[in-house]
Amino acid sequence: MTRSCMEHVKDFFHPYLLPLKAISFLLVGAPASIVPYIPIFNRNLGLNAAENGIIFGALPFLSILSRPTAGTLLDKLRAHRVILRVFLLTELLFISSIYFIPALPQTGVITATNNATSSSVEVGETWLNVTRDELNGVPGFITNNSAEVVDTFLPSVVLIENTSNEISAKNDKAYVRWRLQFWLTGLLLVIGWFGYGAANTSLDVIALHIVDASPVQTSYGGNRVFGTVGFGVFALLAGQLMDTFSHTAEGRDFTPAFVTFFVASSGTVLLTFLLPKTHETSLSSDPEKKEEQVSPGGSPLSVFFTPDVILFWSGIFVVGICTGMLRSCIPWFLAELGANGLLVGMNFFIQCMYETPIMAVSGWIIRKLGFHTCMLLALLAFGVRFVALYFLLDPWYILLINLTHVFCFGLFYASMMGFAFEKAPPGTRGTLQGILSGTFSGVGQGIGGLTAGFIYQAYGGRTAWLSFGILALVTAFFYCIGMLALWRRERNVKVTVL
């Protein structure tokens, strides 16, 4: 019997499922109010691009640790909601604490000219990271010379006084300074991000139990899609609030973003008490889930050494590198172009809006094009996206460039999960999905974030975008060759069988 549209709507918003939908919305949305802006916050703290790259490069590696850790605790303790609350509180406390880190004293390249003489004989006294206030104490400088601040975010500045009362400055090329601000930001964000990743895994397990016991027809994706919506909404909201309460772009006030994060995260913890109670046992122990039991000889490693999987796996790795570059550098780059907080928020909001519908129809697209074609489209899209960023002058055009996100993430991620599900032997699908996901969100993004930070610091943002764009396009070229080789191999196998 055909059900009416209103009946589907009632099932979708059934009271049994509302707490899960609300938690998904806040769990993913709360970090979106602050984490995308952390690169800009680091910049305002006085950290440089290389230091920011190290911090964001470390975060993806934690996904390799946090998710198995959460899964093991959930299986051993069977206290799903308690474990979820512990990880949520870890995320809440440590990420909120970043707000209280003091900024480095602002330093800059100071140039001065003494009209009385052109001589410049160094006398040996050197100041490291001289502040503007300290500069006022240099004899004769303010009275007899003119000063111009060129850049307030270089790694280090050495000012030298000479016999003509001139002040000369130079960059000492220190990429990483290992200051207190660097260690505090990195430590707090790393622990908080660990909590976030583990909380996500915990909610995934709880969501599967809730969906399995639901009195109405529903699906995991139909509930967790609220997380994507939450990310876009909170990123946009935080950007707008920061613009409202900030006087200038350089003096951006991050208080509204941290307050939004704190309130939303606290709401997430409280909502966990409203989650419906289910029988918290491992899904693999359910007799009706027999396909999930490990079959004899079924190992995900046995399928990893086929040409088909190796080719797809290599594409996942490169897409992960490109994603790590994008997430760690795009807020920094937009800030350099003069983008306000609203635009930075809109950047993430538009990505989510592009991503949501393509994921909804991804199954149909994958059936028509195939997994490898979808991977090729993702690589080509990243190449086009990064080359476009290389030429970007007006930051508002980022919203148009983000159209490529439908292939870079929406279609790609669905393809990655579907590929693992189809290729893995019975009973090993979850393991293979975890390995491929770890390659993407862990190893790939970690290497991408670290590498991008140092290239950005040494050669500038545009060179970094161009370098990674070339990497994506070259990989796409060789991936296409690999697809042709696979096609010829499969055709020869069919001919041999006939």
Side-chain angles (χ1 to χ4, degrees):
M1 188 174 89
T2 305
R3 307 179 70 212
S4 66
C5 179
M6 185 56 64
E7 288 176 320
H8 283 290
V9 172
K10 287 181 179 179
D11 286 351
F12 190 75
F13 292 102
H14 192 280
Y16 178 83
L17 301 171
L18 286 181
L20 176 60
K21 287 178 167 64
I23 291 177
S24 297
F25 180 81
L26 293 178
L27 176 64
V28 181
S33 62
I34 186 58
V35 173
Y37 301 97
I38 288 293
I40 305 175
F41 181 79
N42 288 343
R43 193 173 187 263
N44 283 18
L45 279 182
L47 303 184
N48 60 44
E51 292 163 339
N52 179 71
I54 291 176
I55 292 172
F56 267 81
L59 297 184
F61 289 109
L62 288 177
S63 66
I64 304 176
L65 301 175
S66 63
R67 299 179 188 276
T69 300
T72 301
L73 290 175
L74 290 166
D75 287 340
K76 296 292 184 182
L77 302 179
R78 302 289 174 84
H80 294 177
R81 286 153 189 76
V82 175
I83 293 172
L84 173 60
R85 291 177 199 126
V86 169
F87 286 131
L88 285 172
L89 288 171
T90 301
E91 174 198 355
L92 169 62
L93 295 176
F94 281 90
I95 293 183
S96 297
S97 299
I98 296 173
Y99 176 74
F100 301 99
I101 298 175
L104 281 166
Q106 276 199 328
T107 62
V109 174
I110 310 297
T111 59
T113 304
N114 189 328
N115 295 326
T117 175
S118 60
S119 62
S120 98
V121 181
E122 297 182 359
V123 294
E125 186 172 4
T126 302
W127 300 272
L128 295 178
N129 294 310
V130 175
T131 64
R132 293 184 180 90
D133 291 336
E134 290 169 341
L135 193 61
N136 290 331
V138 178
F141 177 76
I142 297 300
T143 305
N144 301 325
N145 300 276
S146 61
E148 176 188 0
V149 178
V150 179
D151 187 348
T152 60
F153 296 105
L154 290 176
S156 184
V157 175
V158 179
L159 300 180
I160 303 173
E161 183 183 16
N162 54 52
T163 54
S164 63
N165 285 330
E166 282 188 351
I167 302 295
S168 60
K170 63 180 180 180
N171 181 357
D172 69 354
K173 301 295 183 183
Y175 289 114
V176 182
R177 295 162 294 172
W178 313 112
R179 298 292 184 87
L180 176 65
Q181 284 76 4
F182 169 77
W183 289 112
L184 283 177
T185 305
L187 180 64
L188 294 175
L189 189 58
V190 159
I191 298 176
W193 198 253
F194 183 94
Y196 171 69
N200 257 295
T201 299
S202 302
L203 184 61
D204 283 340
V205 173
I206 293 172
L208 288 170
H209 284 289
I210 292 175
V211 168
D212 190 56
S214 174
V216 296
Q217 186 177 0
T218 185
S219 66
Y220 167 81
N223 293 279
R224 287 290 267 158
V225 72
F226 278 78
T228 300
V229 177
F231 189 96
V233 169
F234 275 92
L236 183 63
L237 175 64
Q240 179 61 55
L241 289 175
M242 282 194 293
D243 275 357
T244 302
F245 289 93
S246 299
H247 300 294
T248 63
E250 294 300 331
R252 185 175 282 119
D253 186 0
F254 289 87
T255 303
F258 278 96
V259 170
T260 303
F261 168 77
F262 185 86
V263 172
S265 296
S266 300
T268 310
V269 176
L270 294 177
L271 282 171
T272 60
F273 291 95
L274 301 179
L275 283 171
K277 293 183 178 180
T278 57
H279 187 49
E280 296 179 347
T281 58
S282 174
L283 287 176
S284 61
S285 64
D286 189 336
E288 296 182 3
K289 306 286 183 180
K290 286 220 177 235
E291 70 274 12
E292 295 298 325
Q293 303 299 328
V294 178
S295 60
S299 169
L301 296 179
S302 64
V303 300
F304 254 49
F305 298 102
T306 63
D308 186 31
V309 175
I310 290 175
L311 178 64
F312 197 80
W313 195 16
S314 66
I316 290 174
F317 177 64
V318 176
V319 170
I321 290 176
C322 293
T323 304
M325 159 67 172
L326 184 71
R327 292 181 176 177
S328 65
C329 294
I330 193 64
W332 191 291
F333 185 64
L334 290 176
E336 286 184 342
L337 293 179
N340 55 23
L342 175 62
L343 179 54
V344 177
M346 287 183 65
N347 169 63
F348 294 103
F349 177 79
I350 290 298
Q351 286 182 17
C352 293
M353 294 305 101
Y354 290 154
E355 169 191 327
T356 302
I358 197 68
M359 292 193 77
V361 298
S362 59
W364 179 82
I365 297 175
I366 293 170
R367 287 193 298 271
K368 292 294 183 181
L369 301 180
F371 294 112
H372 288 292
T373 303
C374 293
M375 177 65 73
L376 180 62
L377 288 174
L379 292 168
L380 289 172
F382 264 119
V384 172
R385 186 177 197 169
F386 288 165
V387 172
L389 287 172
Y390 170 76
F391 291 104
L392 183 65
L393 296 176
D394 185 342
W396 283 96
Y397 282 106
I398 187 70
L399 303 180
L400 181 61
I401 294 174
N402 279 344
L403 277 169
T404 57
H405 195 68
V406 299
F407 302 108
C408 294
F409 185 80
L411 185 59
F412 158 77
Y413 197 80
S415 301
M416 180 176 67
M417 292 292 100
F419 183 86
F421 187 85
E422 181 176 298
K423 300 296 180 181
T428 63
R429 288 164 177 165
T431 302
L432 186 56
Q433 284 176 337
I435 293 174
L436 295 182
S437 180
T439 301
F440 167 68
S441 60
V443 180
Q445 289 189 35
I447 292 175
L450 285 170
T451 306
F454 281 96
I455 294 177
Y456 203 113
Q457 178 65 23
Y459 304 104
R462 297 190 185 280
T463 301
W465 293 123
L466 183 61
S467 301
F468 278 74
I470 292 174
L471 170 66
L473 292 174
V474 170
T475 304
F477 173 75
F478 285 106
Y479 198 92
C480 188
I481 294 177
M483 288 174 61
L484 292 174
L486 280 179
W487 178 75
R488 291 188 61 181
R489 182 173 179 270
E490 291 174 359
R491 187 181 62 175
N492 291 337
V493 169
K494 290 180 180 179
V495 171
T496 303
V497 172
L498 293 175

